[in-house]
């Protein structure tokens, strides 16, 4: 490929979303449906590829019509296919955190990106503060709602609760506490926190993976509860809390938490989808990452350690490869090639001087369409970098690259229209703090 080297088609780098928190992914009929917290609405992405979610079709499927109890601070939406319909569970308040409660939407069609009707609040008889609701379905079809809440009316600690459901939008019994922050790794930050419960079932165990310690700290982590499949899930004694974190920070991954789980396109692999702080001390400034995981012999998950953004991962099994163009093989102006071990080709391009700088790639595609360019970069400065992407000398796209990663790589996902055949794509701008590694060319979404 002219002015670009086609390499690494079977790998990708995290993050898969440059910003985002509370990621949720579910797969049905060959598509991945993805959500994360956007705060003022519920947005849904639809993709046939797990690593290309940033390039997916998207729609705002619900937003509040005005003031009211569910008009603000819309957190952690989840999409579930239950009893032949789509349901969306989310937390919201009236502008005051103390009023956070859980709400349900029900689909009016089979299209997950279609219309929804409001089914109202879902609550147990106590009607206390509640967030991060999810649904657990046993093999016999019985439904349970699991969430994070307060015991009383003050923010002292967040505990995990479970309650039976009579249908997908109604809790039919009293809540039962199944976890509270009590271990050293669960109690970092005040108030203490157990939240983000997510169900992960194997043949041998019903697992609930949850987030512990303050989400604003580097020590936000995942814990694990497990129960036998035939046990009484409403009996707290049925749930075993594992004494060590299931997924915790490393020397270069901070605050990994609020995960969801999904299969690879061919169904052969299990993947964890989670958010992490962009760098140490970033708090709620987070991005979304994925990696495969394994299973222990007892039916509990083995997530291993969070993988650094410096590490290339194999694409999910069954996912189409991608074209990677190394920046050092582009036509360069005012940029120098530098050796760097954690770059995809062992090299990056950057500049130590002021002045005009650009990298021009020649991208060949087989058909007209809207493609996405995944730009891997390192911005070691304290300010946002501004680039201009010029396509075939005409269309100009302005791009803002996040700042302050302290040596952590990131990806920006840039949609560009390309025509069949050869296309000249020029990246220009930036300053001496910015290094470019490569671009991955993500094809237009197709039907599975």
């Amino acid at each position: 490929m002219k002015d670009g080297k086609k390499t690494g088609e079977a790998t990708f780098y995290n993050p898969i979303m440059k910003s985002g928190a509370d990621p949720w992914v579910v797969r049905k009929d060959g598509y991945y449906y993805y959500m994360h917290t956007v705060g003022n609405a519920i947005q849904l992405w639809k993709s046939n590829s797990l690593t290309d979610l940033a390039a997916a079709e998207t729609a705002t499927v619900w937003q509040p019509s005005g003031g009211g109890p569910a008009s603000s601070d819309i957190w952690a939406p989840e999409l579930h296919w239950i009893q032949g319909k789509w349901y969306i569970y989310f937390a919201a308040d009236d502008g005051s955190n103390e009023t956070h409660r859980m709400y349900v939407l029900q689909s009016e069609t089979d299209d997950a990106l279609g219309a929804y009707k409001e089914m109202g609040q879902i609550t147990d008889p106590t009607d206390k503060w509640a967030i991060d609701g999810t649904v657990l379905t046993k093999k016999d079809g019985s439904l349970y709602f699991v969430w994070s809440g307060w015991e009383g009316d003050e923010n002292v600690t967040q505990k995990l609760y479970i309650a039976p459901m009579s249908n997908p939008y109604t809790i039919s019994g009293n809540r039962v506490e199944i976890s509270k922050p009590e271990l050293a790794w669960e109690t970092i930050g005040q108030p203490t926190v157990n939240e983000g419960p997510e169900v992960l079932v194997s043949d041998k165990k019903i697992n609930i993976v949850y987030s512990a310690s303050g989400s604003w700290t580097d020590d936000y982590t995942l814990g694990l509860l497990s129960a036998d499949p035939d046990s009484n899930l409403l009996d707290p004694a049925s749930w075993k809390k594992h004494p060590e974190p299931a997924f915790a920070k490393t020397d270069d991954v901070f605050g990994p938490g609020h995960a969801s789980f999904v299969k690879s396109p061919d169904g052969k692999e299990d993947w964890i989808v989670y958010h992490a702080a962009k760098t140490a001390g970033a708090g709620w400034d987070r991005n979304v990452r994925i990696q495969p995981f394994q299973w222990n012999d007892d039916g509990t998950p083995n997530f291993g350690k969070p993988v650094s953004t410096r590490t290339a991962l194999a694409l999910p099994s069954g996912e189409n490869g991608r074209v990677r163009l190394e920046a050092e093989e582009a036509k360069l102006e005012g940029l120098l090639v530098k050796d760097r071990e954690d770059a995809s080709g062992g090299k990056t391009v950057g500049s130590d001087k002021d002045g005009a700088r650009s990298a021009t790639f020649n991208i060949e595609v087989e058909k007209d369409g809207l493609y996405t360019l995944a730009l891997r970069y390192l911005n070691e400065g304290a300010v946002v970098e501004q680039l201009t992407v010029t396509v075939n000398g005409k269309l100009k796209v302005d791009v803002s690259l996040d700042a302050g990663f302290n040596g952590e790589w990131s990806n920006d996902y840039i949609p560009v229209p390309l025509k069949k055949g050869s296309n000249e794509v020029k990246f220009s701008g930036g300053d001496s703090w910015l290094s470019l590694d490569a671009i991955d060319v993500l094809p237009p979404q197709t039907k599975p």
Side-chain angles (χ1 to χ4, degrees):
M1 183 174 290
K2 184 180 179 181
D3 294 332
K5 183 170 60 178
K6 183 178 178 181
T7 63
E9 297 93 331
T11 66
F12 75 99
Y13 289 90
N14 277 313
I16 62 163
M17 286 278 186
K18 63 178 289 186
S19 294
D22 312 324
W24 170 262
V25 182
V26 65
R27 190 166 186 265
K28 185 178 185 299
D29 298 333
Y31 286 105
Y32 292 97
Y33 296 94
Y34 169 85
M35 319 176 86
H36 65 221
T37 295
V38 298
N40 60 354
I42 294 177
Q43 192 170 350
L44 183 61
W45 287 255
K46 178 182 180 181
S47 173
N48 50 32
S49 168
L50 184 56
T51 63
D52 295 1
L53 290 173
E57 174 188 2
T58 185
T60 297
V61 296
W62 182 85
Q63 57 189 99
S65 57
S71 59
S72 299
D73 299 323
I74 299 166
W75 294 351
E78 292 191 5
L79 176 73
H80 294 255
W81 178 259
I82 305 174
Q83 299 175 0
K85 289 185 179 295
W86 290 111
Y87 290 89
I88 295 175
Y89 302 88
F90 65 97
D93 64 29
D94 62 5
S96 173
N97 179 48
E98 289 75 13
T99 66
H100 254 114
R101 300 294 188 274
M102 291 299 308
Y103 297 88
V104 189
L105 307 175
Q106 184 188 75
S107 63
E108 296 184 350
T109 71
D110 291 340
D111 182 5
L113 273 65
Y116 286 81
K117 62 180 178 180
E118 299 177 10
M119 304 302 291
Q121 184 182 343
I122 180 168
T123 185
D124 71 292
T126 68
D127 192 25
K128 299 297 185 183
W129 186 92
I131 64 168
D132 295 349
T134 195
V135 176
L136 189 164
T137 304
K138 290 189 73 173
K139 288 184 178 180
D140 62 7
S142 57
L143 302 176
Y144 300 83
F145 201 63
V146 186
W147 73 98
S148 175
W150 297 349
E151 182 176 3
D153 296 319
E154 296 183 3
N155 190 7
V156 177
T157 188
Q158 287 177 228
K159 301 180 179 182
L160 300 185
Y161 296 95
I162 190 171
M165 304 175 75
S166 57
N167 58 47
Y169 48 88
T170 305
I171 290 175
S172 56
N174 294 324
R175 69 178 185 175
V176 175
E177 178 190 317
I178 57 173
S179 182
K180 64 182 179 181
E182 54 191 334
L183 303 175
W185 53 268
E186 294 182 290
T187 54
I188 299 171
Q190 296 293 324
T192 56
V193 173
N194 278 183
E195 63 184 9
E198 301 295 358
V199 178
L200 183 57
V201 178
S202 68
D203 291 339
K204 297 179 180 179
K205 293 291 182 183
I206 295 176
N207 300 291
I208 291 179
V209 181
Y210 65 96
S211 302
S213 286
S215 59
W216 58 92
T217 72
D218 289 349
D219 296 290
Y220 199 50
T221 191
L222 293 180
L224 180 64
L225 303 172
S226 299
D228 292 332
D230 296 326
S231 63
N232 176 9
L233 301 185
L234 298 176
D235 180 358
S238 296
W239 294 97
K240 173 191 174 184
K241 177 179 289 189
H242 294 250
E244 300 297 329
F247 199 60
K249 72 175 184 180
T250 66
D251 290 340
D252 54 9
V253 178
F254 306 94
H258 205 119
S260 57
F261 315 98
V262 73
K263 291 283 188 179
S264 60
D266 62 7
K268 295 180 179 180
E269 296 174 342
D270 292 285
W271 286 72
I272 179 173
V273 183
Y274 67 99
H275 71 226
K278 291 180 178 179
T279 188
W284 287 325
D285 191 8
R286 298 170 285 196
N287 54 31
V288 177
R289 312 177 187 198
I290 65 173
Q291 64 187 68
F293 70 91
Q294 307 300 320
W295 293 92
N296 298 314
D297 291 340
D298 65 357
T300 59
N302 183 350
F303 298 124
K305 295 181 179 180
V307 175
S308 168
T309 59
R310 298 180 175 90
T311 302
L313 291 169
L315 289 170
S317 178
E319 187 167 302
N320 292 332
R322 50 177 61 191
V323 173
R324 178 165 301 156
L325 304 180
E326 300 290 353
E328 63 268 20
E329 298 294 330
K331 180 181 177 181
L332 303 177
E333 178 185 355
L335 294 171
L336 301 174
V337 177
K338 304 176 182 180
D339 292 330
R340 188 172 178 110
E341 183 179 353
D342 54 359
S344 66
K347 298 179 185 296
T348 63
V349 302
S351 175
D352 297 325
K353 300 178 181 180
D354 293 332
R357 52 179 66 84
S358 66
T360 302
F361 299 84
N362 185 276
I363 302 175
E364 295 190 16
V365 296
E366 296 180 353
K367 61 181 180 180
D368 295 351
L370 184 64
Y371 292 73
T372 297
L373 306 182
L375 171 66
R376 187 169 189 250
Y377 69 93
L378 182 65
N379 180 7
E380 298 180 276
V383 298
V384 172
E385 293 279 359
Q386 301 294 336
L387 293 185
T388 298
V389 180
T390 305
V391 181
N392 294 323
K394 297 179 180 179
L395 176 68
K396 294 182 182 294
V397 179
D398 293 327
V399 177
S400 296
L401 303 182
D402 287 341
F405 283 104
N406 298 328
E408 296 297 325
W409 291 94
S410 191
N411 296 315
D412 199 87
Y413 296 87
I414 308 160
V416 294
L418 301 178
K419 59 181 179 63
K420 180 180 179 180
S422 178
N423 297 264
E424 183 182 86
V425 180
K426 180 178 181 180
F427 289 75
S428 56
D431 64 22
S432 60
W433 293 102
L434 180 66
S435 298
L436 304 182
D437 181 19
I439 57 172
D440 283 0
V441 183
L442 311 182
Q445 294 284 318
T446 59
K447 293 183 179 181

